[in-house]
Amino acid sequence: MTDWRSVPDLLPTPPDGSFASDNSAGVSPEVLAALSAANAGTALAYGEDSWTRRADTALRDSFGAPVESVACWGGTGANVVALATVLRPWQAVICPDSAHIVVDECGAPARFTGATIVPVRTVDGKLTPDAVDPYLEWLGSEHHPQPALVSISQVTEMGTVHSTDEIGDLCEHAHANGLLVHVDGARIANALAATGSDLPSMVRDTGVDLMTLGFTKTGSMYGEVVVFLRPELAEQAVFVRKQAGQLASKSRFIAAQVLAMLEDDLWLRNARRANEMAERLADAVSGVPGVKLVRRPEANSVFVTIPGEAIAPLQDWSFFWEWDLGASLVRWMTSFATTEEDVARFAAGVRAIVAPHVPRDS
Ligand SMILES: Cc1ncc(COP(=O)(O)O)c(C=O)c1O
């Protein structure tokens, strides 16, 4: 077996770009320009500014509905504000076991809502109506937390994309049983780009009640927005936001980023680019011995299994996150900033480092 550390000359140069996360990318130049433009003059703080008013209007136009929007500093905070606005402490959230709200937010949604977050096992990160059923039996029993909301991620943490029909079916089932539906849309733009859908079709018409609308992954510097599709649900949202420390004083800079992202569909163009680079990466590594694609990329991530011994050396060469070490499952993620050259170099490194770890008889 080749130990690449002893023969570094055999290795290609690592890519300039990172495949660790779309969060590793910088900021879209258009967003930086918008931040700079918003820096002219003074404006009232805490959302009492013209950028915030324009962003609210732009979001209503994007959804084709009189949505209420509440801008927050980040994704975890926005999820907290969304959930804490509509939940009481004795209630329960049903979500996939891979959900960011249950795995990656240090328990913030549970802490701030007081509600029980119930993670449900899924194969591909998608929650189906059937998977919710066992928890509906808790309804009405004082011994159980009362299911009040279903939360899904679009794109899921497993890189899969719900179809609009899947979201619609889940909403119908949830609503028929008195539950709300929340979408963690940190990567909703990637899902829209992947399916060719739009916010009205994917979110409004399917019946989603509230969502976290993400911009950071597609090129903003910071700032995510909680969107209430049923405006009456938003009644207490600003108080929750302030208490949760999610009200930015210089809110104009979040609004300016939202406006830049929505203008000429920059967020969708960026998402499309990221998705295309994932496709390209999947093609480039699919023939490499030892690399098994879990599925074709549905958005901007490539999930593969590689021999366990290859993971650390490959990470040392160009870092990425393992997703399930027991299963040798890793995630390679692309962004709007990923270049063809990055993909070519990363694939070359994968070939150089992974292939020597493949057992001869496999
Ligand atoms: C599905 C999902 N939701 C929410 C977030 C936002 O988290 P943060 O608090 O890091 O902005 C992320 C970030 O990785 C995410 O992947």
Side-chain angles (χ1 to χ4, degrees):
M1 192 176 291
T2 309
D3 177 355
W4 71 270
R5 287 161 224 259
S6 62
V7 282
D9 291 349
L10 292 181
L11 285 179
T13 311
D16 293 334
S18 167
F19 290 86
S21 172
D22 40 11
N23 260 344
S24 307
V27 176
S28 258
E30 295 90 335
V31 172
L32 276 182
L35 283 167
S36 179
N39 199 32
T42 57
L44 287 181
Y46 304 116
E48 302 292 334
D49 60 85
S50 65
W51 286 268
T52 299
R53 279 191 288 280
R54 278 186 284 136
D56 285 349
T57 303
L59 287 166
R60 289 195 179 117
D61 290 346
S62 299
F63 281 89
V67 299
E68 284 295 328
S69 303
V70 177
C72 298
W73 282 110
T76 299
N79 282 338
V80 162
V81 170
L83 299 180
T85 298
V86 298
L87 289 172
R88 308 297 297 272
W90 58 85
Q91 294 181 317
V93 173
I94 316 295
C95 65
D97 57 358
S98 52
H100 204 265
I101 59 167
V102 76
V103 181
D104 291 309
E105 300 187 351
C106 197
R111 161 110 165 74
F112 277 86
T113 61
T116 305
I117 315 287
V118 182
V120 177
R121 215 180 106 65
T122 74
V123 182
D124 56 1
K126 291 187 189 177
L127 200 61
T128 60
D130 286 356
V132 176
D133 279 341
Y135 305 95
L136 298 178
E137 288 172 19
W138 293 358
L139 284 168
S141 164
E142 66 187 298
H143 303 288
H144 300 300
Q146 296 298 290
L149 182 142
V150 167
S151 180
I152 57 171
S153 300
Q154 179 77 316
V155 176
T156 75
E157 290 76 2
M158 302 308 294
T160 50
V161 174
H162 298 268
S163 68
T164 50
D165 283 350
E166 286 170 334
I167 298 176
D169 289 349
L170 195 59
C171 288
E172 203 177 309
H173 196 57
H175 293 159
N177 290 283
L179 277 64
L180 299 172
V181 175
H182 164 254
V183 171
D184 178 347
R187 298 191 176 87
I188 189 87
N190 300 90
L192 295 175
T195 56
S197 188
D198 50 32
L199 288 171
S201 312
M202 185 175 280
V203 183
R204 181 196 65 191
D205 298 346
T206 50
V208 171
D209 299 287
L210 67 164
M211 76 171 298
T212 303
L213 190 62
F215 293 100
T216 310
K217 317 283 193 221
T218 32
S220 275
M221 184 181 285
Y222 63 93
E224 315 282 75
V225 180
V226 183
V227 176
F228 295 89
L229 286 107
R230 284 172 44 197
E232 71 277 14
L233 292 176
E235 225 163 79
Q236 312 298 331
V238 292
F239 306 115
V240 177
R241 174 177 65 174
K242 180 69 181 183
Q243 198 172 52
Q246 286 296 311
L247 174 60
S249 58
K250 295 185 180 178
S251 293
R252 68 172 136 153
F253 293 105
I254 298 182
Q257 294 180 73
V258 171
L259 286 166
M261 275 291 168
L262 295 179
E263 194 175 328
D264 298 329
D265 287 336
L266 172 63
W267 71 324
L268 295 183
R269 283 186 279 123
N270 279 356
R272 204 168 295 126
R273 166 81 191 177
N275 292 358
E276 283 165 9
M277 289 300 104
E279 275 287 330
R280 195 179 178 96
L281 178 60
D283 289 342
V285 298
S286 59
V288 176
V291 176
K292 285 203 190 84
L293 285 186
V294 173
R295 65 182 75 81
R296 289 295 307 175
E298 295 184 16
N300 63 321
S301 52
V302 182
F303 282 78
V304 298
T305 59
I306 57 176
E309 320 78 67
I311 294 177
L314 190 57
Q315 285 173 320
D316 285 353
W317 176 77
S318 178
F319 185 77
F320 55 88
W321 294 103
E322 60 270 3
W323 224 239
D324 178 353
L325 265 187
S328 296
L329 176 66
V330 301
R331 182 192 75 175
W332 298 330
M333 185 160 250
T334 52
S335 78
F336 73 93
T338 305
T339 64
E340 283 85 354
E341 173 72 17
D342 289 334
V343 171
R345 283 204 215 161
F346 190 73
V350 168
R351 184 177 289 278
I353 293 168
V354 172
H357 288 279
V358 179
R360 275 186 223 292
D361 54 1
S362 72

